[in-house]
Amino acid sequence: MSSLWSEEALAGRAGVVTGAGSGIGRAAARLLVAAGAEVVVADLDREGGEETVARCQGPGRATFFETDIADPDGAQAMVDFALERCGRLDFAYNNAGITAAGIPLAEVSDELWARVIGVDLTGTFNCMRAEIKAMLPRGGGSIVNTASALGLVANAGQSAYITAKHGVVGLTRAAAMDYSAQGIRVNALCPGVIETQMMEDLVRADPDLGQELQRLHPIGRLGLPEEVANAMLWLVSDAASFVTGQAIAVDGAYTTQ
Ligand SMILES: NC(=O)c1ccc[n+]([C@@H]2O[C@H](COP(=O)([O-])OP(=O)(O)OC[C@H]3O[C@@H](n4cnc5c(N)ncnc54)[C@H](O)[C@@H]3O)[C@@H](O)[C@H]2O)c1
């Protein structure tokens, strides 16, 4: 095992990135491929996923797989595809997610609750279960989940999202307890507000929100997808070999205040 970081830190490694058709997932796929990894770019959105594949530059390789991770069969099919295509599953970045903001708890519909929990929390569980089953026979692997700063703290009007992301932190810790001894490290990233499509959608729904969110980050700006992807890259690499069960904020001190 090499503990030193190198540009080819992931040469010969293979894994999946969900929600890789946009935003943080796209930045993650690009970084992984640039570090030498073979990556399954998984997303509901074929156009976005294929665009990500087109933007990836070697030495690694990217392949698109269309799937809905909210469906357990969709998550399993993604892992089966990765095993068939790459012959192994060394890492997984479970990043697909949706959001819903500006709705106080008592106004949340059954449908909205089920959708957000179904994608953000159950979808992450679906992926982890399939990935862990694939990793165990090979002696381990590294799983990173995208939670959120809102997996650690709360704000108003996002009860379903906050519940789901706190759940992702819980799933991460639970899986680390179940599988660390079998060589599977599991960590979560908790990004502050990152400049992606998801963020643009939120600000469109509430124009004052953009400035307010910027003020909430002591670093004085919002984050970039690449800044989250860099933390993911470290976590999936051997450089983070003693790091498991953690929920790591990548948030410009948003949750420090
Ligand atoms: N952008 C932020 O400010 C921010 C902050 C904290 C956490 N996050 C989290 O980061 C992750 C990525 O967010 P982003 O900002 O890059 O969002 P994004 O909307 O740009 O990308 C999300 C991607 O996930 C895909 N997706 C959604 N549902 C899916 C499903 N059921 N199956 C497969 N793919 C699905 C979408 O098609 C899209 O390509 C999410 O989990 C989000 O909650 C984002």
Side-chain angles (χ1 to χ4, degrees), residues 18-26 42-46 48-49 65-71 93-99 118-120 123-124 145-150 161 165 189-202 213 222-223 225 228:
T18 72
S22 173
I24 295 169
R26 172 173 289 166
D43 207 293
L44 269 180
D45 173 10
R46 172 167 287 276
F65 186 73
E66 185 176 340
T67 192
D68 179 356
I69 53 94
D71 174 0
Y93 183 30
N94 300 314
N95 162 80
I98 56 173
T99 189
V119 175
D120 291 0
T124 303
N145 299 319
T146 304
S148 170
L150 295 180
Y161 185 77
K165 294 300 188 178
L189 290 173
C190 299
V193 181
I194 307 299
E195 290 182 20
T196 66
Q197 188 62 48
M198 177 178 277
M199 173 58 199
E200 278 178 32
D201 293 346
L202 284 178
L213 289 176
L222 304 184
V228 182

Side-chain angles (χ1 to χ4, degrees), residues 133-251:
K133 285 180 182 168
M135 288 174 176
L136 281 174
R138 299 202 72 256
S142 176
I143 294 175
V144 180
N145 299 319
T146 304
S148 170
L150 295 180
L152 302 172
V153 298
N155 66 9
Q158 286 188 267
S159 54
Y161 185 77
I162 289 165
T163 302
K165 294 300 188 178
H166 274 69
V168 170
V169 170
L171 264 179
T172 301
R173 292 175 172 150
M177 295 307 292
D178 284 346
Y179 295 107
S180 289
Q182 286 150 282
I184 302 178
R185 293 187 296 106
V186 191
N187 293 286
L189 290 173
C190 299
V193 181
I194 307 299
E195 290 182 20
T196 66
Q197 188 62 48
M198 177 178 277
M199 173 58 199
E200 278 178 32
D201 293 346
L202 284 178
V203 171
R204 199 172 306 117
D206 179 357
D208 293 335
L209 193 65
Q211 286 204 332
E212 193 184 317
L213 289 176
Q214 197 160 329
R215 251 192 309 109
L216 284 173
H217 295 71
I219 204 167
R221 62 174 176 86
L222 304 184
L224 299 173
E226 292 73 19
E227 293 178 303
V228 182
N230 270 313
M232 175 282 310
L233 193 67
W234 173 66
L235 284 171
V236 302
S237 79
D238 289 344
S241 51
F242 201 51
V243 182
T244 190
Q246 301 306 306
I248 299 173
V250 182
D251 71 351

Side-chain angles (χ1 to χ4, degrees), residues 7-8 33-37 57-61:
E7 283 207 344
E8 285 163 15
V33 170
Q57 290 186 343
R61 184 172 63 149

